Every structure is written in structure tokens, then in C-alpha cells.
Amino acid sequence: MDLSVVVPVYNEEQNIQYLYDQLTEVLEPLGLEYEIICADDGSRDRSFALLKELAQKDPRLKVIRFRRNFGQTAGFSAGFDYARGDIVVTIDADLQNDPAGIPLLLDKMAEGYDVVSGWRKERQDPFLSRKLPSRIANWLISRTTGVQVHDRGCSLRAHRREIVKDMRLYGELHRFIPDIAAWLGATMAEVPVNHRPRRFGKSKYGIGRTFRVILDLITVRFLQSYSTRPIHIFGKYGLLLAGVGFLLGLWLTFEKLVLGQSIGNRPALILSVLLMVMGVQLVSIGLLGEMIVRTYYEGQEKPIYAVREIIDYSTPSHAEAVQKVERQK
Ligand code: UDP
Ligand code: MG
């Protein structure tokens, strides 16, 4: 199969028919073997019934129905797990992403990129509550992760299947897919895409997501650099704090024993003890982290690396070796 289109759907009943029509209109002329995977995220309206009806008529449409609302990230994740296409395209169900962008993404993918992101250059959303926070967040995330992407909020994106199969998404990390992909070593590009106002239904998010984005950023940044060596970050600051506390304590001891001064009423004494305790705690957290990392990778036999390809002409079939690595993942 050439292409899988993954669509998270949550209470979008009025959009379903248009979505299906517009997608089909764009995808059919491409002459590719494709599938559309809708992840119905516990919709409480008629979304699932409508999707099921369409799927009965067109087997290229597949529907994964969640038992309850698990969030957009889970929707993407289920779609990724189910996808069989060489290229996996994600798109929102609310028609804000114009499916006409899909061929543009595919053209760019043909140049050899692993991930091509849509960029809503002319985004049709309110400025103050949407576009401004999004712009600040994208800027901040790019600064922090070093991944230069303009628009992480744009669901319209194309990925090579290997990249999404390797991706483990939790919480609301779908906003960080480009950053996680870059961390897996993906090559990336951006393409400006058309964006439209929401015609039916309501947005599922409010301004509250801003705070969650900041917390998620801390997670992603941490995982990006320290997921296999937590002691390096916790230990560094732990040793620093404990060291400063120890020196301070040493100085106080000197004052007491040699200079004969009273140190019982000195704030520096409390600070010194505090720093040392905090330092020991940070180092301990680092050590606990090291143990958790081992259970994480070894318990699931996950490699700590991501392979692009393997060249080994000594094996009977090179393709076989590649497949084996794929299977091990
Ligand atoms: N969505 C979902 N589960 C959720 C929230 C949203 O599957 O818990 C879907 C929703 O149906 C839509 C996409 O994710 O297809 C993006 O949601 P929305 O349009 O509300 O986000 P916005 O465009 O306002 O950022
Ligand atoms: Mg939307």
C-alpha cells in the first residue's frame, strides 16, 4: 500500500461526509493504493455511525472506534499502529486542513524527506486566542529543541511509515511530532498549505493548552537529551548543589573551630545543610532514573538507537537483513 491517511475524529458529525468527499476527490486521481483510517475518539454524536456507513460502501475507509475519549494523540497513535501505507499522512477531521495539500506534501516527500509538515501560513483562526499563542509556542519550542518548524499545530503532515511506527506518543505529544521525528533522525521539510475556518462543530481546545504545552516541552527536551542518561542532568546539578553546600559548611566549621565564632544563628548554616540535602536527593533521583531507563529499554527490548538502513553484503539477502531489523523494532 502506498498511502495511509490518518484522521482523528471527535464529535465531527457535520464534517464527516464533506471530509470523505473531499479526501476521495483529492486521493483518487493520484492513482495510488490508499486507505483512510479514521480514529473515532469516543464521539458522542453520530460521527461513528456515519463513518461506518461510508466504510460499508468504500472498504478503503477504515474506522477505529475508541471506547471513550482518549485524546487526539491517541487517535494519531492508533492510526499509526494500524497504517499499512509507505507514507502516512495525518489530517484533522474538521476540514480546517484542506485535503488539496496532500499532493503537495507527497511531491515534497518524493524528494526524499522523511517528514514533510504543512505550514498554515494564512491560518484562519482568531489572532489573540489562537495564532499569537501558537506562534510564541512554536518559537519557544524551536529554540528549546533546536528543530526549526514553523507550525507544529498543523495536523496536515506526511511521514514515512518507519518514522511513525517508531514513535511512542503519550499525553498530548502529538504537537511535538516534528521534534520527536527529528530526534529519531528524520530529515524534514515544510510546505505552505491552505487553511480554512471551521464551518461546523466546535474546537476541542481552549487557551488552557498553553500551559500543557510548556510542561510537555520540558518532557520532550528532557527525553531528547537525557532519556538514556538521566544521571547526567540530575547528577550534574546534584553535585553542584552538594559541592557548594559542603564548601559553605567547611567555611562555617572553620569559623567555629578556628576563629571561635558562634555559628548557631547563621542563615548560611541552614543554606549549607539545605544545599547538601538537595544535592544528595538530586543524585538519587538521577540513579533512580538510570534504573527506570534500564527497565524501559530492556523490558521491551527496545533499542536505544534508530536504524535508517543496514548494508551487509555478506548475508544471503540484504533485504532479509533489513527486514529482520525492522521486525526487531
Ligand atoms: N480531536 C480528537 N480527540 C480530541 C480532540 C480533538 O480526535 O480529544 C480531533 C478533532 O475531531 C479534530 C482534530 O482532533 O479532527 C483537531 O481538533 P480541533 O479542530 O478541535 O483543534 P484546533 O484546530 O482547534 O486546534
Ligand atoms: Mg481545527
Side-chain angles (χ1 to χ4, degrees):
M1 178 150 329
D2 303 309
L3 175 66
S4 301
V5 179
V6 171
V7 197
V9 179
Y10 181 47
N11 295 343
E12 305 281 3
E13 57 183 0
Q14 286 165 295
N15 291 312
I16 301 290
Q17 184 67 46
Y18 294 106
L19 174 74
Y20 173 78
D21 291 342
Q22 292 185 11
L23 277 175
T24 311
E25 196 181 310
V26 170
L27 294 175
E28 253 173 7
L30 294 177
L32 301 170
E33 194 190 337
Y34 72 88
E35 60 182 355
I36 301 173
I37 304 173
C38 288
D40 173 46
D41 189 10
S43 295
R44 273 181 292 256
D45 61 3
R46 289 171 52 244
S47 297
F48 175 73
L50 294 171
L51 285 169
K52 191 173 168 187
E53 237 169 68
L54 288 168
Q56 275 162 354
K57 284 183 248 154
D58 182 353
R60 293 172 300 190
L61 176 67
K62 295 149 194 189
V63 189
I64 303 172
R65 185 188 195 183
F66 287 175
R67 286 194 180 276
R68 63 166 174 84
N69 179 243
F70 282 91
Q72 197 181 344
T73 298
F76 281 139
S77 207
F80 291 164
D81 290 341
Y82 204 75
R84 290 188 298 137
D86 295 333
I87 291 184
V88 180
V89 166
T90 51
I91 189 167
D92 278 346
D94 60 0
L95 302 169
Q96 289 201 268
N97 297 132
D98 186 348
I102 295 178
L104 305 178
L105 297 180
L106 295 181
D107 284 348
K108 199 75 187 167
M109 287 295 277
E111 291 175 23
Y113 294 102
D114 292 321
V115 174
V116 176
S117 298
W119 175 11
R120 299 167 294 180
K121 258 191 168 162
E122 271 148 52
R123 184 171 168 186
Q124 304 298 322
D125 275 323
F127 179 77
L128 264 189
S129 64
R130 291 277 158 145
K131 291 201 279 193
L132 185 68
S134 160
R135 224 169 271 169
I136 297 173
N138 274 294
W139 174 82
L140 187 70
I141 298 171
S142 290
R143 290 277 322 237
T144 314
T145 63
V147 179
Q148 299 305 325
V149 179
H150 289 95
D151 190 2
R152 288 171 178 78
C154 182
S155 290
L156 188 54
R157 208 180 294 116
H159 324 69
R160 247 167 249 296
R161 185 186 47 213
E162 307 84 74
I163 297 288
V164 296
K165 293 279 179 194
D166 276 354
M167 218 174 254
R168 289 286 165 268
L169 299 174
Y170 297 90
E172 294 186 355
L173 289 192
H174 65 271
R175 301 198 185 94
F176 293 85
I177 287 177
D179 306 276
I180 299 172
W183 171 35
L184 292 169
T187 52
M188 298 206 280
E190 274 181 306
V191 170
V193 291
N194 187 22
H195 190 246
R196 306 177 290 193
R198 209 187 227 281
R199 272 174 69 201
F200 305 112
K202 285 197 298 266
S203 169
K204 311 297 181 293
Y205 302 103
I207 193 80
R209 70 171 138 191
T210 320
F211 300 99
R212 300 199 295 271
V213 167
I214 294 184
L215 294 172
D216 284 339
L217 177 58
I218 299 176
T219 310
V220 169
R221 179 72 185 98
F222 172 73
L223 292 176
Q224 190 188 27
S225 309
Y226 297 104
S227 62
T228 57
R229 49 189 189 107
I231 190 76
H232 283 184
I233 181 90
F234 290 109
K236 184 166 101 182
Y237 291 105
L239 288 182
L240 188 75
L241 294 189
V244 172
F246 180 75
L247 289 179
L248 201 58
L250 213 58
W251 170 247
L252 289 170
T253 312
F254 175 78
E255 284 195 353
K256 167 89 183 156
L257 295 182
V258 178
L259 306 180
Q261 290 170 359
S262 149
I263 58 166
N265 58 349
R266 300 280 296 275
L269 182 63
I270 300 175
L271 183 63
S272 153
V273 173
L274 189 69
L275 286 177
M276 281 194 278
V277 171
M278 273 166 46
V280 170
Q281 278 183 341
L282 279 180
V283 173
S284 310
I285 291 175
L287 287 172
L288 285 177
E290 289 287 330
M291 283 166 53
I292 293 169
V293 167
R294 279 157 183 70
T295 17
Y296 175 73
Y297 284 98
E298 290 167 26
Q300 304 175 50
E301 290 182 32
K302 272 167 87 79
I304 57 166
Y305 48 82
V307 176
R308 194 187 299 277
E309 55 185 320
I310 290 180
I311 306 290
D312 179 354
Y313 291 113
S314 74
T315 49
S317 137
H318 170 60
E320 234 172 65
V322 173
Q323 270 173 13
K324 210 169 136 201
V325 173
E326 294 280 80
R327 271 203 303 276
Q328 280 171 355
K329 271 195 236 160

